Amino acid sequence: MEAGPFTLAAEVHLSTTDADHYGPHGADVAGRARREAARRCGELGRPDLADDAALVVSELVTNALLHGGGCTGVTVGACPGGVRVEVRDPTRLSPLLAHPSEGSLTGRGMRLVQNVAEDWGADAEAVGKVVWAVVTGRAKPGAGTGPGAGPEAEEGGHAHDQAEILAMRGDEDDDVGPGPRRFRVELGDVPTELLLAAKSHVDNLVREFTLASAGALSGQTAQVPDHLRRLLRAVVDRFAEARLAIKRQAVRAAEQGTPTTRLVLDLPASAAEAAEDYVRALDEIDGYCRARRLLTLETPEQHRVFRHWYVEELVRSLRAAAIGHTVPPTRTFEERLLAELGRAADARRLAERSARLYTVAAALAGASTPERVAEAVLSSGMAALGARAGAVILVAEGHRLVVLRAVGYDEEILARLHLQALDAHLPAALALRTGEGVWLESPADRDRRFPDLAGLEQGTISLCVVPLEVQGRRLGVLRFSFADARLFDDDERQFVTALAAQTAQALERTRLQWARIDASRRLQRRLLPPRVPEIAGAEVAVLYRPFGDEMEVGGDFYDIWALSPRQWAVAIGDAAGTGPEAAAMTALVRHTVRALTLAGAGPAQVLATLNSALLDAAAPDDDERFCTVLLGLVTVGQGVEVELATGGHPPPLVRRAGGQVTTIGVRGSLLGVFPGTDIGTARVVLGPGDTLVAVTDGVLEARRDGEMFGVEGLARLLATPPPAAQAVIKALEDAVLDHTGGSLTDDMAAVVLHIPG
């Protein structure tokens, strides 16, 4: 054979330590080799073979890059009837015709070589091997390169079919000549289809990342991280011998139609470390694929199980043999699958239990009263457990038990559960005394341990009672009854115990919440006048409504008090904030205004002095100690006269007896913000049938879908008012709640002064 001058050797050599081995330069080598092969065919007087030679050299170089540890040389020269292509790589492992598979994206290149070349093969050299192909352009019977080129096409006159390639080095698939001592590892039978799919997936992985590297060079794809490229080298290079040996055995079994492949490997002891690096690298690549959402490249679960099984067994056997120990029996793949199935079942049970607890926790999170907690846990808990009945029983005064809520029990059993003594010989009382759950797995067990329950729970086969305990205090018990036998294994008991713990926490939360609500209510009552005084010749009605179910102390307030037999003071306001701070400020405002009016000060003077008091009482860093106040002095004589002063509060509205509604034009600035505050004043005379209404901004700013109730809503309400002050208050509250859909985002207060007609 004439070698010819075309040789790419040192120029394109890519050793296994080259960082660009699987990167863009590898793709560049294939392109350069293809162009040079076509050029060389022209120089040899065979331009008609340029396309075939370029195709063959491209596939052989790519195969060397992906599976041979790199390309160390390419030669194209003349031979009888055509040209001969030679590609060298540093490994002595023969190329392999992969078994045809729809899921495989690799392996087709060598089949293209088989169909295009008249003859091809591989020869071992002192270092590495040479893969060669003879291209003559003569068509072979049935040869083809398309998807339909099946086994029949491959038999058409080629010098090396699949069996010959497999036997290229004799009986030992992986005989690579002299070297370290080898040890035989017999892994046993594995489904051939799984082997082919698993190996094809790894080849696809290498191919896709190699293409990504080439795309990065041209700017079409993102750069492949260096860390990932090092992992790929561990996958392709370090464990190549074992991978190809497994693939050869799988391909042979597939060609023979054998459903299982008996895996036998002859490897040096160093393969153990390479195997661990291999499986670790693939696991890290899987993590990268998940993070980048490259889900088609992530290893299927059955492949992952197979990979970990054979690597672990191989490592264990090799290391034992290398130090002269007896090689332990290999655990079969079926045994590993059964173990994995057990682990998957345990994980599924854990996930199901977690999901059930999450469902219950979500239901409990929205429960704001003990009754709602009991309702939520029984509804969700009974569904999760498949219980026929359940109850939440709490400790009441006098060391007795009361049923907070029960579902599924008849009246007779409820009567026994309700108001039982703490020392009763019943499951709930026992669980509370001991702090331990009671688990009854059969009617016989129940009747033996608790004869007082004999015959009571018809339809109950098993039951459990678990104490509700929080911070060392036992609040009660959670009880479930079942219509089937329950063995209450550790998993079941842990679930019910966790359910009881969640219930106890929710009950304690609601107890503390309602204790705070009760304290808030009592404090709020103290901040409002205990009763509304009567004003001669007028009807007075008031409204106070907090927002939210918890009734947090708000800043809205009203107050009415007598100054003389013919004069009264009426105040309504809104202190900034909620809770204790708002309560303290409300108390300061009310007491200051009362004291000043009783001392004879007029409304404007009262508010100016209040502004100074608020400024004096504020801490240096307190920028929210302010309020709005509307103060009126009501004097009853020939008529009713109201002298008004306001500091930042919404002006009141007056509805005259004839139906006209007007807003009193009185304005002013917030109190407690600036020393020289602006106090607005006005004087209003009310006659028979007239109504004056003062509200806080919680009424005016009540909104739904962004639309406020506003002064317009209040004016519409007053246009056709009820005939009495209290009826006006009721209509106002109903109108605001109807506007908001039944919920408030702020507390609201109102004072109505009506002069009967």
Side-chain angles (χ1 to χ4, degrees), residues 355-427:
R356 288 183 293 174
L357 285 174
Y358 177 81
T359 300
V360 176
L364 291 175
S368 58
T369 67
E371 291 77 14
R372 290 181 180 176
V373 168
E375 180 181 353
V377 73
L378 291 179
S379 174
S380 302
M382 288 173 62
L385 290 166
R388 64 169 290 271
V392 175
I393 304 172
L394 299 183
V395 179
E397 293 181 2
H399 298 287
R400 302 189 67 82
L401 306 183
V402 295
V403 177
L404 178 62
R405 183 170 178 81
V407 177
Y409 291 114
D410 58 29
E411 293 299 326
E412 186 177 7
I413 186 63
L414 279 178
R416 297 297 301 271
L417 294 176
H418 196 65
L419 295 179
Q420 61 181 287
L422 194 56
D423 59 356
H425 189 59
L426 292 172

Side-chain angles (χ1 to χ4, degrees), residues 557 559 561 563 569-571 587-599 606-607 610 629 631 671:
F557 67 92
D559 200 0
W561 63 98
L563 299 176
V570 178
L588 173 62
V589 171
R590 285 187 61 222
H591 294 153
T592 301
V593 171
R594 273 191 176 233
L596 292 172
T597 55
L598 290 171
V606 168
L607 296 189
L610 173 63
V629 177
L631 175 62
L671 303 179

Side-chain angles (χ1 to χ4, degrees), residues 607-673:
L607 296 189
T609 305
L610 173 63
N611 183 65
S612 298
L614 292 175
L615 291 172
D616 290 342
D621 58 346
D622 188 354
D623 57 356
E624 293 196 9
R625 196 172 181 84
F626 60 87
C627 69
T628 68
V629 177
L630 175 68
L631 175 62
L633 292 186
V634 181
T635 303
V636 177
Q638 294 297 325
V640 176
E641 183 180 85
V642 183
E643 183 183 357
L644 295 170
T646 183
H649 200 81
L653 273 68
V654 172
R655 195 262 189 191
R656 297 299 179 180
Q660 181 184 10
V661 179
T662 59
T663 301
I664 305 301
V666 56
R667 304 288 177 179
S669 56
L670 291 174
L671 303 179
V673 178

Side-chain angles (χ1 to χ4, degrees), residues 413-589:
I413 186 63
L414 279 178
R416 297 297 301 271
L417 294 176
H418 196 65
L419 295 179
Q420 61 181 287
L422 194 56
D423 59 356
H425 189 59
L426 292 172
L430 178 62
L432 278 170
R433 290 196 303 270
T434 64
E436 301 290 336
V438 176
W439 312 89
L440 304 176
E441 298 177 340
S442 68
D445 190 19
R446 179 197 63 199
D447 296 344
R448 176 181 58 81
R449 295 182 60 186
F450 301 97
D452 288 348
L453 284 179
L456 278 181
E457 288 196 60
Q458 300 298 323
T460 293
I461 303 301
S462 56
L463 66 88
C464 63
V465 183
V466 181
L468 301 172
E469 187 171 346
V470 59
Q471 296 179 348
R473 293 185 299 108
R474 294 171 195 157
L475 310 180
V477 297
L478 181 61
R479 189 185 204 274
F480 289 111
S481 297
F482 303 88
D484 56 355
R486 302 295 280 256
L487 295 180
F488 296 119
D489 58 16
D490 289 343
D491 184 71
E492 194 83 284
R493 296 187 184 208
Q494 288 174 7
F495 173 75
V496 177
T497 302
L499 186 63
Q502 287 189 337
T503 305
Q505 291 287 345
L507 286 171
E508 179 68 1
R509 171 178 55 80
T510 57
R511 184 190 70 81
L512 295 174
Q513 176 178 324
W514 279 93
R516 184 170 62 85
I517 290 173
D518 182 63
S520 294
R521 287 173 174 168
R522 286 186 280 109
L523 177 58
Q524 192 72 59
R525 284 195 296 268
R526 290 181 178 275
L527 294 175
L528 299 174
R531 62 181 181 84
V532 177
E534 294 182 0
I535 296 179
E539 294 178 1
V540 181
V542 295
L543 166 68
Y544 177 79
R545 183 173 181 126
F547 78 94
D549 293 336
E550 296 185 5
M551 195 173 177
E552 178 70 85
V553 175
D556 286 16
F557 67 92
Y558 65 84
D559 200 0
I560 303 173
W561 63 98
L563 299 176
S564 70
R566 309 299 293 176
Q567 193 174 58
W568 289 263
V570 178
I572 186 170
D574 185 0
T578 59
E581 293 80 7
M585 188 169 184
T586 299
L588 173 62
V589 171

